[in-house]
Structures are given as C-alpha cells and as structure tokens.
Amino acid sequence: MKNTIPSDVWERKKALIAKLYKDEEWPLKQVIKQIRSDDFNPSETQLRSRLKKWRVTKPSRQTRKKSQDNQQDVNGDSSSHEAGSPKDEIPISPKTQLYSTQKEATGFFRASYL
C-alpha cells in the first residue's frame, strides 16, 4: 500500500499537475511519470482522488471538438463542413474494399474472399 502524501507536498505540485493534466491534456500515467520524485510517488488512485478534490478535470471530448470547429471557422477553414469531405466519410476496411472490387469486376461475390 502506498504511503500517504502530506497535503503541503500536494499543494507544491498542484500547479504543475493541473497544467499537465488539464491544460496540456496529458494522460494520467504520463503526468505521474513526469511529477514522480524520491519524496513524491503517487499512485493513480491517489492522483485521481486529489484531482477530484481540486476539481481539476480535462475538457470533455464534445467541448474539445466544438473548440476545434470554432477555431477552423475563425481561421476561415470551412472545408471540413462541406459534404463529402474526408471528415464526413466512414473509413472502409480492406475486406469491404475487396468485396466492392470483386463485385464490380465479376458481377458477383465469392464468400472465400472474406
């Protein structure tokens, strides 16, 4: 079991932790690796608990997507909103591509190609 880390040690690291986790959106494990030292070695559970106590959270995926879309609009890049743009297309697996190619070339589909 991990030793308890005094609150004053946490407070000294708070700004760096918040910057890495929230502002730079680092994964929790990477934050731990970056802040780890001889006298400060928190577990993931300890860090999660402290982030919750501090009310430090990453922006939600929806918020990040909206801010990226807004940034593109501000920069005059509206290509991502055009129909048929790569952003709107669904990726096609190699098996699906093979199926389409076989069907077009031969007029029928062979099950052995899946």
Side-chain angles (χ1 to χ4, degrees):
M1 186 160 104
K2 290 277 183 180
N3 294 334
T4 58
I5 301 169
S7 293
D8 62 319
V9 176
W10 280 108
E11 289 303 317
R12 286 196 307 265
K13 303 278 187 174
K14 182 178 180 177
L16 176 60
I17 292 169
K19 178 182 173 223
L20 295 175
Y21 186 74
K22 182 180 179 181
D23 301 337
E24 296 184 17
E25 299 181 22
W26 283 28
L28 195 68
K29 287 181 180 182
Q30 294 302 317
V31 173
I32 290 171
K33 285 180 183 179
Q34 182 68 28
I35 63 173
R36 185 179 294 148
S37 66
D38 291 338
D39 66 332
F40 187 74
N41 187 16
S43 68
E44 279 188 60
T45 303
Q46 287 174 313
L47 184 53
R48 269 185 220 283
S49 175
R50 191 56 59 150
L51 289 168
K52 188 175 181 179
K53 181 177 181 178
W54 290 334
R55 295 190 175 129
V56 173
T57 59
K58 287 184 181 179
S60 70
R61 292 183 192 269
Q62 288 286 17
T63 303
R64 287 193 299 254
K65 185 176 182 332
K66 285 179 186 176
S67 68
Q68 287 174 352
D69 289 347
N70 290 341
Q71 187 64 34
Q72 287 175 348
D73 291 344
V74 169
N75 292 336
D77 180 14
S78 61
S79 61
S80 65
H81 299 291
E82 294 174 7
S85 71
K87 187 176 179 181
D88 296 332
E89 293 178 9
I90 298 171
I92 299 174
S93 73
K95 286 183 180 180
T96 304
Q97 289 174 343
L98 180 61
Y99 167 76
S100 298
T101 305
Q102 274 301 109
K103 191 172 181 181
E104 291 170 8
T106 61
F108 67 95
F109 168 73
R110 289 187 215 156
S112 63
Y113 285 99
L114 286 177

